[in-house]
Amino acid sequence: MAGEADLTGRGGLRLILLGPPNSGKGTQAGRASERLGIPAISTGDMLRQAVAAESPLGNKVEEIMATGELVDDDTMADVVRERLRKGDTRRGFLLDGYPRTLPQAETLEAILGERGEELDAALLVEVPEDELVARALGRGREDDEEEVLRERFRVYREKTAPLIGYYEERDLLRRVDGDRPVAEVTSRILHALGVATQDAGRSGGPAHAASRSRSPLASQPLAASERALAAGGRSGSVGAAGKEARKR
Ligand code: ADP
C-alpha cells in the first residue's frame, strides 16, 4: 500500500510555522525539520545574525527589532527570496517566522509560484497567551523586556493572527496544541502532517513526483484528527477569532 503518511515522495514539503511569541516555534522548527529532512529557516535567526555581523541588513533592522516591531515587508521579501534560492530548499523547507503579515503571505505565494511550487501546510502552534506571559515572566525578564514582549504580542494579534484565517480559507491550516511537553508537541506536528511517528524516517524515493495534487495533505485521514485537536485546544487559544477583535 502506498504509504498515506509518506510525504517525502510527493516532490518536497513546503511548510510554514505560525504561532505567538514564546510559543516554542523555534524549538519545534528545529526538531520537526530534522525529522522531515528539510531545512528549518528562521527569519528571526537570520536577522539576528545580520545584526551580529553588522551587515547593511543588520544595521537596517537592528533598531526596529529591538522595539518588538516588524521589519518592513519589502526587506523581508528580499531576505526570504534570497534564502529560498539556496539548493537545500529543493525538497522543501520549514519556514519559522515568515510570513508574519498578510502581504508577506502573498509574497511567499508569489515566490513559490515563480518556482512552480506551492505551500503544503501552515502549522499553527497554539498556546494560551496567559501561559506565554507566564513562561516569559518565569525567566525573570527586566521591565523593558516585558514591555517589548507585550509589544510583540500586540503586533502578533494585529498583524500575524489574520494569517490563521488566510490559511484556513486555503485549506492549509493545521492546528497543533503547543501547551504540551516539547517532545509531544513535535509528535503532534508530525501527526498533523500525516507522518506516523514510528515511520517518519522512511524514505519515499526521488522527489519531484509529477502527480502532486493541489492540496496533498487535505485529503488524508489526518484531517479528522486535526479537527479533533483543534476542537480540544481551542479555548483561550491565540487563534480564536475573538482575540483579533480585542483591540488594545
Ligand atoms: P520569536 O522570538 O517570536 O520567534 P523571531 O525570532 O522570529 O521571534 O523574530 C525576532 C524579530 O525579528 C521580530 O520581532 C521582528 O522584529 C523580526 N522579524 C523576524 N521575522 C520577521 C518577519 N517575517 N517580518 C518582519 N519582521 C520579522
Side-chain angles (χ1 to χ4, degrees):
M1 199 172 92
E4 65 196 15
D6 190 349
L7 300 162
T8 55
R10 286 189 309 96
L13 193 56
R14 290 152 199 105
L15 306 171
I16 64 165
L17 200 54
L18 292 170
N22 273 12
S23 58
K25 263 184 308 135
T27 303
Q28 294 301 333
R31 293 172 59 94
S33 67
E34 195 176 313
R35 293 295 300 276
L36 295 165
I38 53 178
I41 299 175
S42 160
T43 47
D45 285 351
M46 290 173 70
L47 296 178
R48 276 185 289 272
Q49 278 162 21
V51 169
E54 297 180 27
S55 70
L57 170 67
N59 294 334
K60 181 159 131 189
V61 303
E62 185 168 13
E63 254 180 69
I64 187 95
M65 284 181 74
T67 64
E69 299 290 335
L70 296 181
V71 174
D72 68 277
D73 291 337
D74 287 345
T75 300
M76 293 310 300
D78 291 343
V79 168
V80 168
R81 191 184 296 273
E82 193 181 315
R83 177 61 186 86
L84 291 181
R85 248 182 229 138
K86 294 197 182 170
D88 64 345
T89 67
R90 197 176 57 84
R91 297 203 50 190
F93 52 79
L94 174 52
L95 268 176
D96 162 22
Y98 191 92
R100 250 180 167 90
T101 66
L102 286 172
Q104 290 182 8
E106 283 158 8
T107 297
L108 178 60
E109 225 169 273
I111 292 174
L112 293 180
E114 289 161 14
R115 298 152 55 111
E117 298 173 354
E118 49 194 14
L119 213 58
D120 292 300
L123 293 153
L124 174 64
V125 177
E126 299 193 287
V127 182
E129 190 172 321
D130 290 350
E131 169 62 24
L132 296 171
V133 173
R135 282 186 196 179
L137 296 180
R139 280 183 217 150
R141 296 223 175 192
E142 307 275 327
D143 277 359
D144 57 341
E145 283 183 53
E146 198 183 321
E147 263 315 297
V148 170
L149 183 70
R150 287 192 192 287
E151 177 60 13
R152 293 173 69 211
F153 278 123
R154 196 192 61 72
V155 170
Y156 176 79
R157 280 195 299 267
E158 183 185 310
K159 303 253 174 66
T160 307
L163 294 181
I164 296 167
Y166 179 90
Y167 287 115
E168 222 158 25
E169 275 168 26
R170 285 157 179 76
D171 219 6
L172 292 173
L173 195 75
R174 300 277 178 275
R175 292 175 188 267
V176 175
D177 183 357
D179 197 7
R180 303 268 170 181
V182 169
E184 200 183 318
V185 177
T186 311
S187 300
R188 283 171 181 250
I189 287 174
L190 297 173
H191 177 75
L193 294 171
V195 181
T197 310
Q198 61 272 30
D199 62 13
R202 188 172 54 182
S203 163
H208 302 302
S211 58
R212 206 171 145 251
S213 63
R214 196 200 70 82
S215 185
L217 298 175
S219 59
Q220 297 185 3
L222 64 95
S225 56
E226 183 268 328
R227 272 194 295 277
L229 276 180
R234 193 156 287 204
S235 69
S237 75
V238 182
K243 284 268 165 65
E244 256 175 69
R246 199 168 96 198
K247 294 270 153 61
R248 302 178 98 204

